[in-house]
Amino acid sequence: MITLHYLKQSCSHRIVWLLEALGLDYELKIYDRDPQTLMAPAELKAQHPLGKAPVLQDGDLVLAEGNAIIQHLLDRYDDENRFTPAHKTNAYSNYVYWLSVSASMFSANFLALLSTRSDLGDFAQYATAQTPLFFNHVEQTLEGKTWIVGEQLTGADFALSFPLQWGMKYVDEADYPNIVRYLAQIENHPAYVKANEKTAGELDLSKF
């Protein structure tokens, strides 16, 4: 039995999207953020030593970290490789690359959030530039493509969805028409719509 520990308004949402896309049976345990700190509550932190969402339980296996969860689900349950390019191809190498980039984008967005502090001095300029740096790269890569690797929806798209949705508040969306189109495509994907229904709401990242 698969159980996903899901924190509201977090990157947990992309895992529900993938679970729905794979057509898997799973139990969803939803947690509210602490109203004062906006952090995960103690009961969710107790699920894994890192104390972060999402946490996936698959039988005796317990995993945190979104990209590790994405890769586990694809390796274990995507028997027809619907969401993974063929190994030893350029598409597969690009798939792995974009998984890595998506993780780096989290750090860029955290820096953008920190840049609003007035006590950071010159570091604020560096921090402010990080999200646009990644967005420019994604925007150029999406030119002429349906998904980030090409015509196939892959785990890299599931991984990229949240950092792009979060980072959009730190850039001018008019500068990124390909990303705007890409996010609309993600959010209208049938499995993503089902994810919204399962979690009783869409992402609202206005506070982060």
Side-chain angles (χ1 to χ4, degrees), residues 16-27:
V16 183
W17 176 27
L18 179 55
L19 288 165
E20 290 295 329
L22 288 168
L24 299 177
D25 292 326
Y26 62 98
E27 180 183 3

Side-chain angles (χ1 to χ4, degrees), residues 1-37:
M1 180 64 184
I2 296 173
T3 300
L4 179 67
H5 297 271
Y6 174 100
L7 180 64
K8 288 183 179 180
Q9 314 307 343
S10 79
C11 60
S12 306
H13 206 70
R14 59 189 180 162
I15 306 302
V16 183
W17 176 27
L18 179 55
L19 288 165
E20 290 295 329
L22 288 168
L24 299 177
D25 292 326
Y26 62 98
E27 180 183 3
L28 188 62
K29 294 189 176 181
I30 299 177
Y31 301 80
D32 291 307
R33 289 181 177 272
D34 183 290
Q36 301 300 319
T37 66

Side-chain angles (χ1 to χ4, degrees), residues 28-88:
L28 188 62
K29 294 189 176 181
I30 299 177
Y31 301 80
D32 291 307
R33 289 181 177 272
D34 183 290
Q36 301 300 319
T37 66
L38 297 180
M39 304 298 286
E43 56 266 36
L44 190 153
K45 291 181 178 180
Q47 302 302 322
H48 190 276
L50 291 179
K52 299 178 180 180
V55 174
L56 184 88
Q57 294 176 277
D58 189 355
D60 295 331
L61 179 69
V62 179
L63 290 175
E65 296 296 329
N67 285 0
I69 292 171
I70 288 169
Q71 193 61 54
H72 163 73
L73 291 172
L74 293 179
D75 287 343
R76 189 70 59 90
Y77 300 107
D78 187 19
D79 294 334
E80 298 177 357
N81 289 327
R82 287 180 294 158
F83 306 119
T84 308
H87 282 227
K88 298 183 180 180

Side-chain angles (χ1 to χ4, degrees), residues 177-196:
N178 289 329
I179 293 177
V180 170
R181 186 270 307 165
Y182 178 68
L183 288 178
Q185 178 176 279
I186 286 171
E187 292 164 5
N188 285 291
H189 188 272
Y192 193 97
V193 174
K194 287 184 180 179
N196 288 342

Side-chain angles (χ1 to χ4, degrees), residues 125-136:
Q125 283 188 315
Y126 168 80
T128 302
Q130 296 309 296
T131 294
L133 179 69
F134 283 95
F135 265 63
N136 289 339

Side-chain angles (χ1 to χ4, degrees), residues 94-194:
N94 278 318
Y95 158 72
V96 173
Y97 170 74
W98 283 107
L99 284 177
S100 298
V101 171
S102 71
S104 297
M105 287 186 70
F106 275 92
S107 298
N109 290 341
F110 274 120
L111 289 175
L113 181 61
L114 285 174
S115 72
T116 60
R117 287 175 41 180
S118 60
D119 61 332
L120 292 178
D122 291 341
F123 178 75
Q125 283 188 315
Y126 168 80
T128 302
Q130 296 309 296
T131 294
L133 179 69
F134 283 95
F135 265 63
N136 289 339
H137 184 31
V138 174
E139 176 71 15
Q140 292 167 5
T141 302
L142 285 172
E143 184 66 33
K145 293 182 178 178
T146 302
W147 300 102
I148 196 64
V149 174
E151 294 306 303
Q152 181 186 14
L153 171 64
T154 71
D157 300 293
F158 291 90
L160 277 171
S161 60
F162 181 82
L164 286 173
Q165 289 165 318
W166 180 20
M168 188 60 78
K169 67 180 291 183
Y170 299 113
V171 298
D172 184 348
E173 68 174 40
D175 294 332
Y176 302 103
N178 289 329
I179 293 177
V180 170
R181 186 270 307 165
Y182 178 68
L183 288 178
Q185 178 176 279
I186 286 171
E187 292 164 5
N188 285 291
H189 188 272
Y192 193 97
V193 174
K194 287 184 180 179

